Amino acid sequence: MITFPNAKINIGLNVIQRRADGYHNLETVFYPINIKDALEILPADKLSFQSSGIDIPGRMEDNLCIKGYHLIKRDYDLPPVKIHLHKNIPIGAGLGGGSADAAFFIKLLNQTFALDLTIEQMTDYARQLGADCAFFIESKPVYAFGKGDEFLALNLDLSRHKIVLVMPEAHVSTGEAYRGVKAAPVQGVLREQILEPISEWRHNIKNDFENSVFRNHPVIRGVKAALYEAGALYASMSGSGASVFGIFNETPDLLVLEKTNRVFYNV
């Protein structure tokens, strides 16, 4: 069986405090976008993982899909499967691609082997794999808080607008991003700001990672500036970067950005 994990963007991201477990408490808005991987599982004699498309660094056993398989196999008698992932969502981009693959893999196992897992059960499994994995079980707009794995439903619909995502030739590790950010206790502010008109977001909704990331990677700062020059109502880096998105009333002309960046239109 095959499924198509989708990416997300962060609209606003406030890092509130460092936790005793090494994570950070934060608040953000997760919004699903239409950039997708392709994930397939097939019957096999032994568990295996292979990928195509964008190269995935690291060892097979460290892949979140493999970890998800072993996590669920502790509770269910799963047969071995062959996993094939075609990677299209940029890596190191703040789009949650690896987390999406893991969550959709859980859903695919549930469907393929009729495990009868509820949304709540799949969400609990996903939380054990990564801070934002749980979001992708339902993949609906949410206000996220805690480690980014606690959610409140959000009535946010951007379908009348055009969202464009730009992936520059840059890579920002999560560790680098967090080393450059200073936590500030501002929880709850974003829930109010997101209800304002999009034209007001530019003045009020921020991503705490941008200051240090832009300082270390001026090309990313330049992409955000170019999106505003092209008429974006709102533009921001997603998550810890390096991707930047813009929200427009109409599809913009970004031919200049296309020369040196990967550009996704109307996502």
Side-chain angles (χ1 to χ4, degrees), residues 78-127:
L78 294 177
V81 294
K82 175 182 178 180
I83 306 167
H84 183 89
L85 173 64
H86 182 77
K87 195 68 185 164
N88 178 58
I89 300 171
I91 296 173
L95 301 174
S99 297
D101 295 334
F104 275 73
F105 180 72
I106 290 172
K107 293 191 287 184
L108 194 57
L109 286 178
N110 186 48
Q111 181 181 4
T112 302
F113 298 112
L115 302 180
D116 293 325
L117 296 172
T118 65
I119 293 294
E120 291 75 18
Q121 287 174 308
M122 290 189 288
T123 299
D124 286 342
Y125 279 123
R127 281 196 177 98

Side-chain angles (χ1 to χ4, degrees), residues 60-264:
M60 181 194 83
E61 53 265 38
D62 294 328
N63 185 273
L64 288 180
C65 291
I66 293 292
K67 290 185 175 182
Y69 177 88
H70 290 302
L71 180 65
I72 294 181
K73 188 170 174 57
R74 292 193 316 214
D75 299 326
Y76 295 87
D77 185 22
L78 294 177
V81 294
K82 175 182 178 180
I83 306 167
H84 183 89
L85 173 64
H86 182 77
K87 195 68 185 164
N88 178 58
I89 300 171
I91 296 173
L95 301 174
S99 297
D101 295 334
F104 275 73
F105 180 72
I106 290 172
K107 293 191 287 184
L108 194 57
L109 286 178
N110 186 48
Q111 181 181 4
T112 302
F113 298 112
L115 302 180
D116 293 325
L117 296 172
T118 65
I119 293 294
E120 291 75 18
Q121 287 174 308
M122 290 189 288
T123 299
D124 286 342
Y125 279 123
R127 281 196 177 98
Q128 298 177 57
L129 296 174
D132 60 355
C133 286
F135 162 73
F136 291 100
I137 295 297
E138 294 192 89
S139 204
K140 297 178 181 179
V142 294
Y143 167 78
F145 58 102
K147 293 187 298 183
D149 63 351
E150 299 179 65
F151 312 122
L152 292 174
L154 196 61
N155 184 22
L156 179 63
D157 182 3
L158 300 176
S159 61
R160 290 184 296 176
H161 295 85
K162 308 298 183 183
I163 302 177
V164 176
L165 185 124
V166 181
M167 183 64 196
E169 290 292 332
H171 182 274
V172 182
S173 72
T174 303
E176 174 193 348
Y178 273 101
R179 284 193 298 271
V181 73
K182 184 177 181 180
V186 293
Q187 187 167 2
V189 174
L190 183 58
R191 287 182 64 190
E192 301 172 4
Q193 294 170 333
I194 201 69
L195 301 177
E196 298 172 350
I198 296 176
S199 58
E200 294 298 313
W201 291 1
R202 179 175 183 173
H203 308 294
N204 301 320
I205 295 180
K206 60 185 177 61
N207 180 334
D208 279 346
F209 290 120
E210 285 190 350
N211 285 339
S212 63
V213 169
F214 285 0
R215 185 166 57 248
N216 296 332
H217 303 275
V219 64
I220 304 176
R221 180 181 63 233
V223 168
K224 180 177 178 179
L227 290 173
Y228 273 127
E229 290 172 6
L233 300 172
Y234 178 74
S236 174
M237 189 173 74
S238 183
S240 56
S243 70
V244 183
F245 66 90
I247 302 175
F248 296 82
N249 281 326
E250 302 292 341
T251 303
D253 179 357
L254 299 177
L255 289 177
V256 173
L257 285 176
E258 288 181 27
K259 294 178 180 178
T260 53
N261 306 275
R262 192 177 180 194
V263 180
F264 300 82

